[in-house]
Amino acid sequence: MTEHELQKLLNSLSLEEKAFQLSQVPGPFYVKDAQIAGTEVENDLTDLELAMMGSTLYVYGPDEMHAVQEKCIADHPHHIPMMFMMDVIHGYRTVFPIPLAMGASFDPDGAETMMQVSAAESSSEGIHVAFSPMLDLVRDPRWGRVMESTGEDPYLNSVLGQAMVRGLQGDGRVSSCIKHYAAYGAPEGGRDYQNSELSEHTLREYYLPAYRAAVEAGADMVMSSFQTLNGLPSAANPWLLKDILRGEWGFKGVIITDWAAIAEMVKHGICADLKEAALTAFLAGVDIDMCSMAYHRYLPELVREGKISEADLDRSVLRVLTLKNKLGLFENPYKDANKETAKELILCAEHRSAARKAVSETLVLLKNSKNSAAVSNDTLLSQKNSSNNASDALLPLKKDRSIALIGPYVNCEELYSAWAPNGRNEDTVTVQAAAEELEQEGYKLTYSRGCRLETRADLLAKSRESSILQLRCGTFPDAAPDESELAKKADAIQAAWEADTVVLFLGEHRSVSGEGASRANITLPENQLDLLRSIYEVNQNIVTVVFSGRPLDLREVCRFSKSVVMAWLPGTEGGHGIMDVLTGKENFSGRLPMSIPVSVGQIPVFYNQLSTGRPKDPVKDDPNYCSAYLDTPNRPLFPFGYGLSYSRFSISQVQLSANEVENCREDLLQACAEVLNTSDRAGVLTVQLYIRDDTASLARPVKELKGFQRISLAPGEKKTVKFNITPAMLSYTGKDNKRIVEPGTFTVWIGEDSETQNQAAFTLK
Ligand code: BGC
């Protein structure tokens, strides 16, 4: 349609029809027991009203989408098509590693590919808008939704966020709806839906940049977050939606709330009833009401009462119609939904192979030492070790050693998160399935489950058992021993005893991270730790592969394992991707996108903290009156940016092209370093550039990531890595919340992780 035709259509709509364009209800309102519509009695909506909705979410598959769209267009007085939306967070049917893992890849091309695959599969099933990427900066691993984020760094989140928007929207198949604007990732205590309390400075410096970058990359939609930010839900916050998003960033697309956010304003206690909430959200700048049933009920009335101007209503409706037009729905309301295409594309070899490659890029090798970490006097163990003299690191796994694969993740099909609503167990390549393929190559492998994988229901049951009253009294019912669990454990211990090497596949169940899945304790489940300790008693050659949607407290894992791998939730091709790397066919290259704390008491622990007046000096290490714990190290167990590989690299001293520069050009100077692969393995290193403004009018972080490059190096190969330093990299949000660049000295680091000490300095005049 031309703009003129769109305007004509808009002018022909009644107030009610306009309000429905701004309303969204879920798929089950249209499809119930495979019947299209007909649930109006329950929902208090007639078929006509359902047809007039502007959009829906969670209608599954091309057949249902076709049927719903066809009926709605036929019933709609102006035959306006609906938009179909869904969360497509880390793949559709071909599920990729979770976004936090994609953060570990430090690979924008890989993130873009993931979203291209997601767009191809989801659009063939009738999806027009993906609620993705999630761009919330996260610093608290207790929050279950850290798995949906790419981590703790604003720059990394921005680069990957832009790549994901490009991937989704690149070929015009799907619109990206970025979320959750703003700062949903900072809930107090890591408890989902809690208030985020952040100064404007902190928001602008750390939490807003990734959303802004995604808007600049052209995202068609923005979802407001449903928690309160400094006491105000984002859907009621005109400063966020109008002043910053539309005013400062020039966003022209559609703003939608998160699920039922308008209705929740009543629960937050900032509106007396749903009508007031509808008014508040509309005046704040929300275009679409997701599932609050507020806009279609109250907007017409509010316009008639003169509380909302019809011109403002029209502006919002026009945005929605314009997006439908951009998607081509007026010409073809079914767009790319096609059963045959879906069959061809979904889980095709090309998509699976992209997902497999992504797994290998996202695994992080935390440790691969040659020596035992813990000491034991057990005689059984000393016998065992004397006949089992490991002279080399356990990884990569060797064909000439017998290997016991043990743990509840060995044969687990649930390798994808709760945010992969189209993921299916039967599509997953488990670790065991991938390992069995290796047996043909001569690997000597056995498999044992060891213990069960506790789910969200188990955690909930336990937390109910330890109610406050029981905690006060100290009385807990004794759990009866479970015979089948004892048998599983005995089998695993036997297998471990007989093997040269044990690879333990442990972790959190997928239901334990994601929405509404906050945890106060972030260790592995006790039954798995018990398994680990027991196995250590009979075999110390332990590699532990950790599956998780969040950084965990890995102290015990590190204590009892010679090698530790963070595998996150790796998706459909998880088994293949993991075995590719464990056997050394692929090399490790992942780096941590979020610090792994020593313990929950350190949280939040993140690398780009502000400089304090009494830092804990790593060299002088004065323990008195410094910003440190008495009983725990200050540093995380593993820092942001950290990761090992089978290769070893050395990075030369940072060289700067100038020691003094004028603040006038785009590229102020160049920082470079030579990177040498000192090993006999080809590998990929993510070389990281950090900068610190040494003296500024506000305290600045101890260092901040400002660039990175993934470089491949053959054995013995040397490459020079160059970073152009621009004024934007030196700028920050000043006292008046405007971006400034201040003269003075800056420190520049080029290194392998955020703890690098490889630095040089220059002065900006
Ligand atoms: C989540 C959003 C999601 C929406 C629609 C909400 O509960 O917070 O991330 O996009 O549901 O599924």
Side-chain angles (χ1 to χ4, degrees):
M1 271 194 199
T2 62
E3 270 180 40
H4 177 69
E5 286 166 329
L6 273 185
Q7 190 63 48
K8 233 171 102 190
L9 174 63
L10 174 67
N11 295 342
S12 70
L13 301 182
S14 68
L15 271 186
E16 278 69 21
E17 287 161 354
K18 288 175 184 171
F20 273 103
Q21 281 304 306
L22 304 182
S23 304
Q24 179 175 89
V25 289
F29 281 36
Y30 295 89
V31 188
K32 200 176 176 198
D33 304 328
Q35 297 298 307
I36 303 305
T39 59
E40 64 270 20
V41 181
E42 271 167 60
N43 301 322
D44 202 20
L45 285 167
T46 64
D47 273 15
L48 174 61
E49 287 171 327
L50 283 174
M52 290 198 297
M53 292 286 168
S55 54
T56 182
L57 73 172
Y58 284 92
V59 168
Y60 287 91
D63 288 345
E64 281 184 3
M65 185 271 181
H66 259 265
V68 172
Q69 186 75 303
E70 193 173 11
K71 177 158 171 34
C72 289
I73 292 174
D75 290 354
H76 193 290
H78 302 268
H79 313 294
I80 301 180
M82 281 207 297
M83 284 187 285
F84 290 73
M85 310 192 181
M86 199 179 276
D87 295 283
V88 186
I89 310 290
H90 58 116
Y92 189 74
R93 273 286 291 282
T94 306
V95 185
F96 281 65
I98 53 171
L100 192 59
M102 295 306 289
S105 74
F106 276 68
D107 181 9
D109 294 341
E112 188 169 341
T113 303
M114 167 174 84
M115 286 308 185
Q116 280 164 348
V117 169
S118 308
E121 292 193 358
S122 60
S123 64
S124 75
E125 294 239 313
I127 300 304
H128 304 141
V129 175
F131 297 129
S132 190
M134 189 268 222
L135 297 166
D136 305 334
L137 183 128
V138 290
R139 289 174 169 176
D140 190 336
R142 292 171 299 181
W143 191 49
R145 298 192 80 168
V146 301
M147 50 122 316
E148 272 178 82
S149 159
T150 49
E152 73 182 39
D153 184 69
Y155 176 72
L156 179 64
N157 290 354
S158 301
V159 171
L160 294 178
Q162 291 196 324
M164 289 194 265
V165 171
R166 280 199 304 274
L168 280 173
Q169 295 194 169
D171 55 12
R173 291 201 246 216
V174 166
S175 282
S176 156
C177 176
I178 64 165
K179 62 190 187 183
H180 307 85
Y181 181 73
Y184 178 35
E188 286 161 349
R191 274 202 308 287
D192 210 355
Y193 317 124
Q194 282 295 127
N195 182 51
S196 307
E197 192 66 33
L198 300 166
S199 69
E200 181 174 344
H201 173 85
T202 301
L203 261 176
R204 287 184 181 274
E205 254 328 74
Y206 309 102
Y207 287 86
L208 297 188
Y211 310 112
R212 180 182 194 153
V215 166
E216 285 169 1
D220 286 328
M221 285 183 65
V222 172
M223 184 188 293
S224 60
S225 56
F226 45 26
Q227 97 293 359
T228 51
L229 169 62
N230 302 328
L232 193 59
S234 303
N237 190 334
W239 176 72
L240 271 183
L241 304 184
K242 288 186 167 166
D243 299 354
I244 296 188
L245 181 57
R246 293 217 187 273
E248 288 182 29
W249 304 349
F251 178 64
K252 302 263 182 309
V254 175
I255 301 176
I256 189 171
T257 67
D258 200 348
W259 185 287
I262 299 182
E264 285 176 16
M265 288 181 196
V266 179
K267 293 192 192 150
H268 282 299
I270 67 149
C271 293
D273 54 33
L274 195 57
K275 182 174 172 185
E276 191 188 334
L279 176 64
T280 307
F282 190 84
L283 294 181
V286 167
D287 296 316
I288 300 182
D289 160 12
M290 183 200 286
C291 303
S292 284
M293 312 283 273
Y295 270 19
H296 67 270
R297 284 193 190 149
Y298 298 112
L299 288 190
E301 199 174 313
L302 287 164
V303 172
R304 284 190 198 104
E305 288 169 6
K307 292 187 174 139
I308 288 176
S309 83
E310 190 162 356
D312 283 344
L313 184 72
D314 284 358
R315 261 190 286 279
S316 282
V317 179
L318 190 60
R319 283 188 202 113
V320 171
L321 296 178
T322 304
L323 181 56
K324 291 185 177 185
N325 197 35
K326 181 181 174 199
L327 287 161
L329 298 182
F330 291 108
E331 285 72 34
N332 176 7
Y334 308 104
K335 196 164 156 57
D336 303 319
N338 184 307
K339 225 171 155 175
E340 295 312 312
T341 323
K343 241 189 226 152
E344 259 171 51
L345 284 176
I346 284 179
L347 294 166
C348 67
E350 193 190 326
H351 291 182
R352 276 192 177 272
S353 113
R356 182 171 181 164
K357 177 164 179 272
V359 179
S360 63
E361 284 193 352
T362 53
L363 302 181
V364 184
L365 180 62
L366 297 176
K367 171 177 174 184
N368 196 21
S369 57
K370 297 178 185 175
N371 305 315
S372 292
V375 187
S376 166
N377 295 324
D378 193 291
T379 45
L380 196 65
L381 181 67
S382 38
Q383 276 174 42
K384 172 80 188 158
N385 283 343
S386 60
S387 62
N388 184 14
N389 228 341
S391 59
D392 209 354
L394 295 179
L395 292 177
L397 298 173
K398 325 257 172 324
K399 283 187 192 162
D400 60 357
R401 298 171 65 108
S402 60
I403 304 165
L405 309 187
I406 297 175
Y409 264 104
V410 168
N411 207 8
C412 179
E413 291 174 335
E414 296 178 294
L415 299 185
Y416 52 95
S417 84
W419 279 118
N422 293 283
R424 294 197 193 158
N425 284 2
E426 66 265 28
D427 300 338
T428 303
V429 178
T430 63
V431 167
Q432 182 163 341
E436 279 166 358
E437 292 171 17
L438 293 169
E439 286 179 33
Q440 286 139 35
E441 295 174 24
Y443 283 92
K444 297 190 276 293
L445 306 170
T446 60
Y447 312 92
S448 175
R449 188 157 177 214
C451 65
R452 64 188 287 273
L453 189 53
E454 289 186 342
T455 63
R456 179 188 186 98
D458 296 308
L459 285 194
L460 280 171
K462 276 192 201 159
S463 79
R464 267 194 296 271
E465 272 166 32
S466 51
S467 69
I468 289 293
L469 265 185
Q470 279 170 329
L471 289 170
R472 283 182 189 157
C473 301
T475 50
F476 304 101
D478 283 337
D482 178 333
E483 293 303 325
S484 75
E485 284 301 291
L486 291 177
K488 272 185 217 141
K489 185 173 162 189
D491 180 69
I493 290 172
Q494 181 67 29
W497 165 252
E498 285 166 9
D500 296 322
T501 302
V502 175
V503 188
L504 275 173
F505 295 88
L506 306 179
E508 285 187 328
H509 184 251
R510 64 190 281 256
S511 60
V512 169
S513 56
E515 188 171 350
S518 302
R519 294 187 65 191
N521 302 304
I522 54 167
T523 56
L524 286 176
E526 184 48 39
N527 66 338
Q528 295 189 36
L529 289 175
D530 175 57
L531 180 71
L532 169 64
R533 291 179 208 120
S534 304
I535 284 182
Y536 181 81
E537 294 300 310
V538 299
N539 190 334
Q540 288 192 352
N541 289 320
I542 299 176
V543 176
T544 301
V545 180
V546 181
F547 294 75
S548 170
R550 53 160 65 80
L552 294 173
D553 173 344
L554 295 176
R555 279 174 296 172
E556 282 218 67
V557 171
C558 289
R559 177 164 176 230
F560 293 114
S561 317
K562 287 183 180 171
S563 306
V564 180
V565 175
M566 199 67 193
W568 318 103
L569 289 168
T572 310
E573 283 289 321
H576 276 146
I578 288 170
M579 292 317 291
D580 287 345
V581 182
L582 295 190
T583 53
K585 290 180 181 155
E586 297 286 342
N587 203 342
F588 284 96
S589 61
R591 329 287 302 185
L592 289 177
M594 203 177 166
S595 312
I596 296 189
V598 167
S599 67
V600 96
Q602 277 188 329
I603 295 172
V605 57
F606 48 93
Y607 83 95
N608 51 353
Q609 57 187 303
L610 293 191
S611 313
T612 85
R614 296 187 176 188
K616 184 162 164 69
D617 190 309
V619 182
K620 296 186 203 109
D621 211 13
D622 176 359
N624 293 312
Y625 303 107
C626 61
S627 170
Y629 301 103
L630 292 178
D631 55 357
T632 289
N634 245 23
R635 295 163 63 198
L637 193 60
F638 297 103
F640 174 84
Y642 173 86
L644 304 172
S645 86
Y646 296 136
S647 313
R648 281 180 311 282
F649 304 97
S650 72
I651 300 182
S652 71
Q653 170 68 38
V654 185
Q655 300 292 321
L656 299 178
S657 60
N659 296 328
E660 266 192 12
V661 286
E662 303 271 348
N663 182 12
C664 58
R665 287 175 295 137
E666 189 43 31
D667 287 346
L668 297 170
L669 72 161
Q670 215 174 47
C672 60
E674 278 188 348
V675 185
L676 171 67
N677 183 345
T678 58
S679 69
D680 55 7
R681 266 295 305 240
V684 169
L685 180 67
T686 296
V687 184
Q688 299 159 38
L689 171 80
Y690 294 88
I691 300 184
R692 170 189 168 138
D693 187 346
D694 296 331
T695 316
S697 40
L698 286 176
R700 302 292 303 128
V702 291
K703 56 167 74 109
E704 292 182 291
L705 185 72
K706 293 293 177 184
F708 59 84
Q709 291 177 31
R710 275 173 60 88
I711 54 163
S712 305
L713 289 171
E717 193 184 358
K718 191 191 273 180
K719 274 185 187 162
T720 301
V721 178
K722 294 181 184 145
F723 294 96
N724 289 330
I725 297 180
T726 63
M729 289 170 161
L730 310 183
S731 70
Y732 76 100
T733 306
K735 284 179 185 161
D736 59 358
N737 289 313
K738 303 256 167 5
R739 282 204 86 75
I740 45 167
V741 181
E742 293 180 322
T745 63
F746 290 81
T747 306
V748 177
W749 292 260
I750 294 181
E752 290 197 36
D753 61 50
S754 60
E755 289 190 349
T756 174
Q757 300 296 324
N758 183 25
Q759 67 197 68
F762 72 92
T763 303
L764 181 73
K765 293 212 277 190

